Amino acid sequence: MLDLSFVRVNLELVEGKLRDRGQDPAGLLGDFRALERTRRERITEAEQLKAQRNKLSEEVARLKKSGQDATAVMDETRALKSRLESLEAAAAEADQNLSAILFNVPNLPLDDVPVGKSELDNIEVKHWGKPPKFDFSPKPHWEIGEDLGILDLERAAKIAGARFAVYWREGARLERALANFMLDVHTREHGYTEVLPPFMVNSKSLFGTGQLPKFAEDLFHCEDGQTYETGVYRDNDHWLIPTAEVPVTNLYRDEILDGAQITTSLTAYTPCFRSEAGSYGKDVRGIIRQHQFQKVELVKFTRPEDSEAEHEKLTRDSERILERLGLPYRRMLLCTGDMGFSAAKTYDLEVWLPGQQLYREISSCSNFGDFQARRANIRYRPSGQTKTAFVHTLNGSGLAVGRTWLAILENYQHADGSVFVPEALVPYMDGQTVIRAKGK
């Protein structure tokens, strides 16, 4: 959530940044100006009444001291007190309404984020690796997986419906190998602390990271005897997590971290559940867009002055996984119109898929500034200071396991239908170097 005080003082700047995002400031901010004017008027009037009440109090003291009747002045003072309480309540209500408006206002892009309308305006800032050359026509992963007998979409649809997958034999082992490899690299080499969080969260947690109230339709809400209503967040209702970012970020909700805990780097491997609302007809083949998929997530809590450098570091941590696996990729700086709701700056890592002849996102690494920290009330106490400040939060996929799985199938396929195992994964596959169809 944006800082209310900042928005008040910099309303025109905020409106300009929202227009850069392709948003209508009037539609998002609504009656902000009118509410702010009302709040200021009530505060000004209250201050005037306080000054008047102070004078009357002095008059009451003078009359009593001189033995005169102070009843009329005391009655006037009580009337002023009642009016003052009413004005203060009105100002507080306006303040609450202003904050409520900001619940649905996205984060403001940093100044170095390119202005644009869609993914077509994103900027490639890095390219690594050369796409493999084949002396045959490369196949997409859904054909490779089916031919090898390791990917079963038909049975998944039977037991759960569309956008689910069943992995068999080496397919299941490869998924597990990838998760273990990623976690080992991030914990042993990159310094992250591994955490295994709940796979279900309450509404407060989703509000804290920015999924609620705006994106409720993108989530799976559990039927546990509670009804979700916009703006009402109960502790005993449950949602399936769309990403480990939600539970891991909320580990420190309503807490104050001391200076020694900043920067804190956490990693988690979890399933992720997304309804894919609005994606009807998109990526219906294969496992690019699933209702359930697994992901290794990276989350950081850091000082404001360190967040830019930590964002670059987090992104490099994700890139190293792709490089260790020998998967060609590019880093894209997202434009203002293509960033997520809570992000101030985002890099997407896109892996090359030869079976489809295109790059697809495999990791999204974002700096949220203090946007999530304000919603989740996560603070820290700078060393030597008594006053607290909001942390900056960052997160990125390190990586999406399913998309890494399919990228390996497409980049390491061979003419006979087999798939070579990347060298970095061979120890995690019990020494297996090639995946072949059963019986071959």
Side-chain angles (χ1 to χ4, degrees):
M1 189 170 70
L2 299 179
D3 178 11
L4 180 55
S5 298
F6 176 85
V7 177
R8 285 176 179 140
V9 176
N10 301 278
L11 189 54
E12 291 186 3
L13 171 64
V14 171
E15 290 174 336
K17 291 283 189 179
L18 292 176
R19 280 189 287 269
D20 287 345
R21 266 185 168 268
Q23 303 287 329
D24 175 21
L28 284 173
L29 296 172
D31 297 329
F32 192 94
R33 275 191 168 84
L35 285 168
E36 176 61 11
R37 184 168 55 251
T38 297
R39 187 191 72 90
R40 288 185 178 276
E41 289 173 352
R42 299 297 178 267
I43 290 176
T44 299
E45 190 176 351
E47 290 174 348
Q48 292 172 346
L49 286 183
K50 286 179 182 178
Q52 187 177 349
R53 184 188 61 182
N54 290 338
K55 289 182 179 180
L56 289 175
S57 296
E58 292 175 359
E59 180 64 12
V60 168
R62 188 189 65 79
L63 291 172
K64 287 184 175 181
K65 186 176 181 179
S66 63
Q68 299 180 60
D69 185 7
T71 303
V73 181
M74 292 172 65
D75 289 342
E76 187 176 355
T77 301
R78 280 191 287 269
L80 283 179
K81 180 181 178 182
S82 177
R83 173 61 179 159
L84 183 60
E85 290 174 349
S86 178
L87 288 171
E88 290 175 339
E93 182 181 0
D95 224 27
Q96 291 176 356
N97 290 335
L98 288 168
S99 294
I101 287 175
L102 296 185
F103 289 167
N104 291 304
V105 175
N107 203 354
L108 304 182
L110 296 179
D111 291 339
D112 61 343
V113 174
V115 177
K117 296 181 179 179
S118 70
E119 62 182 11
L120 299 176
D121 299 311
N122 296 339
I123 297 176
E124 181 179 318
V125 296
K126 179 180 179 181
H127 189 281
W128 186 91
K130 295 181 179 180
K133 294 182 179 180
F134 300 94
D135 56 6
F136 61 94
S137 180
K139 296 179 181 180
H141 66 274
W142 55 85
E143 292 184 14
I144 302 170
E146 183 178 355
D147 291 345
L148 290 173
I150 62 174
L151 178 64
D152 194 337
L153 300 177
E154 184 176 344
R155 285 189 174 91
K158 178 177 68 175
I159 61 178
R163 298 190 189 274
F164 289 92
V166 172
Y167 300 91
W168 289 91
R169 293 177 291 279
E170 289 93 340
R173 180 184 292 178
L174 180 61
E175 174 93 3
R176 177 161 50 90
L178 280 167
N180 287 333
F181 166 69
M182 293 173 188
L183 288 171
D184 283 349
V185 172
H186 291 314
T187 55
R188 297 175 183 175
E189 301 179 22
H190 298 160
Y192 290 78
T193 298
E194 184 176 354
V195 59
L196 181 61
F199 303 157
M200 300 171 70
V201 294
N202 54 36
S203 296
K204 287 182 179 178
S205 296
L206 287 160
F207 174 82
T209 46
Q211 282 81 14
L212 288 180
K214 190 174 180 62
F215 302 105
E217 66 174 6
D218 295 323
L219 307 169
F220 284 108
H221 188 220
C222 302
E223 296 291 339
D224 58 354
Q226 298 293 325
T227 301
Y228 169 71
E229 298 175 3
T230 300
V232 178
Y233 305 107
R234 303 183 178 90
D235 285 330
N236 59 341
D237 68 333
H238 296 97
W239 306 70
L240 298 179
I241 61 170
T243 167
E245 166 198 351
V246 179
V248 176
T249 301
N250 280 276
L251 287 172
Y252 296 119
R253 190 178 75 223
D254 296 323
E255 293 188 25
I256 298 175
L257 309 181
D258 60 37
Q261 291 177 284
I262 301 294
T263 294
T264 296
S265 301
L266 304 177
T267 185
Y269 169 63
T270 69
C272 307
F273 305 91
R274 300 183 185 179
S275 70
E276 296 294 344
S279 66
Y280 180 78
K282 295 180 181 178
D283 300 314
V284 294
R285 303 292 301 276
I287 57 172
I288 286 289
R289 197 179 298 271
Q290 298 278 280
H291 288 314
Q292 176 188 323
F293 59 96
Q294 284 64 246
K295 187 151 62 82
V296 172
E297 194 76 358
L298 309 176
V299 176
K300 285 178 177 282
F301 304 84
T302 190
R303 300 177 183 87
E305 61 268 26
D306 296 333
S307 67
E308 183 176 352
E310 290 296 335
H311 184 208
E312 296 294 328
K313 182 179 178 183
L314 182 147
T315 305
R316 276 298 296 142
D317 291 340
S318 294
E319 288 176 340
R320 288 191 184 95
I321 298 295
L322 289 166
E323 292 170 10
R324 293 276 290 275
L325 294 172
L327 296 173
Y329 71 89
R330 63 184 185 181
R331 184 200 291 200
M332 305 295 292
L333 174 58
L334 299 196
C335 71
T336 54
D338 198 33
M339 288 197 310
F341 176 81
S342 299
K345 182 178 180 179
T346 298
Y347 291 120
D348 270 6
L349 303 183
E350 298 179 348
V351 67
W352 174 248
L353 301 179
Q356 301 168 60
Q357 290 294 296
L358 48 72
Y359 283 94
R360 294 303 300 260
E361 177 203 333
I362 197 168
S363 175
S364 189
C365 303
S366 296
N367 184 350
F368 302 105
D370 62 7
F371 189 85
Q372 291 182 330
R374 289 183 181 279
R375 298 172 75 97
N377 190 30
I378 306 172
R379 300 170 179 264
Y380 78 105
R381 181 170 286 105
S383 299
Q385 298 184 27
T386 57
K387 187 177 180 181
T388 62
F390 287 105
V391 303
H392 278 202
T393 62
L394 307 95
N395 87 271
S397 303
L399 301 161
V401 179
R403 291 193 179 188
T404 309
W405 186 96
L406 68 90
I408 288 173
L409 262 62
E410 294 199 13
N411 281 275
Y412 283 89
Q413 62 180 298
H414 284 257
D416 63 357
S418 64
V419 172
F420 280 22
V421 176
E423 183 179 353
L425 293 181
V426 172
Y428 295 88
M429 292 287 289
D430 294 331
Q432 184 173 356
T433 58
V434 183
I435 299 175
R436 304 183 188 279
K438 189 177 181 181
K440 291 187 178 181

